Amino acid sequence: MAPAAKPVRELTGLRPADLGPAILASTEPLLLRGLVADWPAVAAARTSPQAAIAYLRRWYVDATVNAMLGAPEIDGRFFYNEALDGFNFQSMRVRLDAVLDELEKHLANPTPPAIYVGSTTIDGALPGFRGENDVDLGPRDPLASIWIGNRTRISAHYDLPDNLACIGAGRRRFTLFPPGQQRNLYVGPIDLTPAGQPISLVDFKHPDPERFPRFAQALEHAQVADMEPGDAIFVPSMWWHHVEALDGFNVLVNYWWRQSPDWMDTPNNALMHALMTVRDLPPAQRAAWAELFRHYVFEADADTAAHIPPAARGLLAPFDDNASRMVRAQLLKRLNR
């Protein structure tokens, strides 16, 4: 990575019981060195990749998973095809033990096919695994997922939830960028994506300065974390992150949760609707709507509706589950007209 990239702030000596709001509500990424070093999965990985695979097999119960398979020529980079109307890999439903067999078969292969099992619910694929390898996040109710593969590269993308990612096997490099760098990261389509989130079109291993000249500006804001088995990283909501798995067998366990009530819908829906209804307005009208969004959404405060009696504030009053249900029903009715 370019010299401009600085290391992610590192904390050492922490255990899962030490994770409080100062860490789990941070607005900056944090490298938590050795946080899950006591996991049996990590101990197996430190013995050998074969031992790590054998440890996962202990929990396997005939589960099928979504797997991605790419030819050796993609060099581990799961991405688009040349026309950006499809992808350079195949997606398939396969038995997890068959994926482990394939990964083990190619451990000594210097140019293996790219094999990747993304975001898979642990309790469904490997029930019992979390009994020995888990992080208790207290009152949060995270989605706990496992990611398994070989040397792969996942393009820079953002996630809406906060993310605690723990390295179970293999080494990984996270390269992170703060929100607002999308222009410099040259983000691709938002409605056709390799795994659900828009991704940077820049190949971090071979960046093209002529095609993507502003990527150099993104690197000025980059933070990098090189991680070993037992390490963890906290990735705040909406931070762009590129993830590279550096060894022939890799396992990552991550926990996703939101710092917002369950009734809140994803802002991605609002973005899509705004693209349809606001983006292509005449410039003066679009500017007027920008002011309305600023007033009612992005800079809303106690004064926004202070001049309206509380009982008459309607949508300007604080939302709750009931109000959210009512608005969702009204929106569905309008969208289905």
Side-chain angles (χ1 to χ4, degrees):
M1 189 51 59
K6 67 178 183 180
V8 171
R9 180 188 171 199
E10 183 174 328
L11 301 177
T12 60
L14 297 177
R15 288 295 175 259
D18 302 321
L19 300 181
I23 293 173
L24 298 180
S26 174
T27 57
E28 294 277 338
L30 297 170
L31 173 56
L32 309 175
R33 189 73 74 184
L35 181 77
V36 296
D38 295 336
W39 280 7
V42 171
R46 287 175 174 165
T47 300
S48 68
Q50 292 85 352
I53 292 172
Y55 182 80
L56 291 186
R57 292 187 192 277
R58 286 180 49 192
W59 310 106
Y60 176 71
V61 288
D62 197 30
T64 58
V65 296
N66 291 318
M68 300 159 66
L69 179 64
E73 290 73 24
I74 75 170
D75 193 23
R77 186 188 184 213
F78 290 99
F79 195 64
Y80 292 98
N81 59 20
E82 288 294 328
L84 267 68
D85 59 1
F87 306 109
N88 67 353
F89 60 89
Q90 292 180 301
S91 295
M92 59 193 75
R93 290 288 296 178
V94 293
R95 289 167 55 101
L96 179 56
D97 61 341
V99 176
L100 295 176
D101 289 343
E102 195 70 10
L103 286 165
E104 191 163 20
K105 181 176 76 174
H106 288 285
L107 282 174
N109 185 350
T111 56
I115 304 168
Y116 186 61
V117 174
S119 189
T120 299
T121 303
I122 300 174
D123 294 338
L126 298 168
F129 177 90
R130 291 177 66 194
E132 293 187 357
N133 311 270
D134 201 15
V135 175
D136 183 357
L137 293 174
R140 298 165 184 83
D141 184 23
L143 174 65
S145 302
I146 193 165
W147 313 66
I148 304 169
N150 53 7
R151 293 181 183 88
T152 56
R153 294 183 286 143
I154 305 305
S155 298
H157 62 283
Y158 67 84
D159 295 307
L160 176 59
D162 290 310
N163 182 4
L164 181 68
C166 307
I167 309 302
R171 297 169 298 130
R172 286 187 189 247
R173 172 174 296 149
F174 275 68
T175 306
L176 304 103
F177 305 85
Q181 284 300 307
Q182 57 272 3
R183 184 173 183 269
N184 296 330
L185 289 171
Y186 297 91
V187 179
I190 67 173
D191 51 345
L192 178 67
T193 66
Q197 291 297 97
I199 65 169
S200 169
L201 298 183
V202 180
D203 184 346
F204 280 34
K205 192 172 183 179
H206 305 288
D208 183 344
E210 293 187 2
R211 185 180 177 191
F212 305 118
R214 292 191 306 273
F215 182 60
Q217 297 177 40
L219 289 177
E220 294 176 3
H221 301 273
Q223 298 184 32
V224 176
D226 286 320
M227 303 173 64
E228 304 281 342
D231 294 340
I233 187 170
F234 174 73
V235 182
S237 170
M238 304 302 291
W239 272 69
W240 295 86
H241 49 290
H242 176 279
V243 186
E244 183 176 5
L246 301 172
D247 289 319
F249 181 71
N250 297 269
V251 174
L252 181 144
V253 171
N254 89 301
Y255 303 85
W256 273 322
W257 70 94
R258 293 182 63 183
Q259 297 184 46
S260 54
D262 291 340
W263 51 260
M264 285 188 68
D265 205 349
T266 170
N268 284 325
N269 290 345
L271 175 61
M272 293 175 66
H273 200 202
L275 288 171
M276 180 177 68
T277 61
V278 178
R279 184 193 62 187
D280 296 331
L281 289 171
Q285 293 182 29
R286 192 168 64 244
W289 278 102
E291 285 302 305
L292 284 176
F293 272 82
R294 180 191 61 77
H295 179 70
Y296 286 115
V297 178
F298 297 109
E299 296 182 14
D301 57 22
D303 291 334
T304 302
H307 56 287
I308 304 173
R313 288 177 184 172
L315 293 180
L316 299 181
F319 268 77
D320 57 20
D321 185 51
N322 288 333
S324 177
R325 290 174 186 269
M326 182 168 36
V327 171
R328 186 175 290 110
Q330 293 175 358
L331 285 173
L332 287 172
K333 184 177 180 179
R334 294 181 181 184
L335 289 171
N336 290 328
R337 71 184 190 277

